Amino acid sequence: MPTDRRLTLDPGFHTGWSLWVNGKLSLQGVIEGGLDGFITWANSWGSLYVDVLVIEDFIAEPKFTGRVWASEVKGAAIALISHGRLIIQKRSDKATLFKQKYKGDKGETERFGWLREHGFHGVSHELDAITHGLVSYKRDKHPYVLKKYWNIGH
């Protein structure tokens, strides 16, 4: 099986990120400072090659005011990192990680609890990035991830 290096991003002024190799979490963190912070972070990696870039598509609601950091980070990530496959997930895709009972803040608490039960740790932005990674692997039917987290397969 070829190597699958997957970078997942939950963009914003505080961008959560996680790096996966063949379905296993390798690194994670939070990038501070919106667009400028993200560009500095991306450049610090030198040549960051990933096979798959997974990023949440933030869509501002009509009442939203202020700077849309997530859209700026998303554009920079696509320009600087996307050399392979690009997966853009909706914010609501996070709820497909497992059969959540709740939405909103209660759903987030429920999801973070599920992640912690499965050995993941970090602050909310990191956990959201991890969620995007797991959802992408689940949709790709990655055998290791399906077996480890959902007990599906051999």
Side-chain angles (χ1 to χ4, degrees), residues 47-120:
S47 177
L48 176 60
Y49 177 83
V50 295
D51 301 295
V52 181
L53 173 62
V54 181
I55 190 165
E56 181 182 304
D57 189 17
F58 176 82
I59 298 171
E61 296 186 13
K63 294 180 182 179
F64 181 83
T65 59
R67 190 165 177 180
V68 185
W69 295 101
S71 296
E72 294 177 1
V73 170
K74 175 186 162 197
I78 292 169
L80 295 172
I81 297 171
S82 185
H83 306 293
R85 188 168 146 223
L86 175 63
I87 298 172
I88 298 176
Q89 292 180 353
K90 296 177 190 165
R91 185 176 188 190
S92 60
D93 288 346
K94 291 184 282 192
T96 67
L97 181 63
F98 67 101
K99 294 181 181 180
Q100 281 185 213
K101 294 177 186 173
Y102 304 104
K103 293 183 180 188
D105 291 343
K106 280 182 136 182
E108 180 180 79
T109 299
E110 184 182 17
R111 189 172 53 255
F112 290 172
W114 186 94
L115 289 167
R116 288 185 177 102
E117 287 171 11
H118 287 84
F120 296 102

Side-chain angles (χ1 to χ4, degrees), residues 12 22 28 34 44 51 57 76 90 103 114 123 136 140 149:
N22 297 334
Q28 70 186 64
S44 74
D51 301 295
D57 189 17
K90 296 177 190 165
K103 293 183 180 188
W114 186 94
V123 297
S136 72
D140 285 351
Y149 300 108

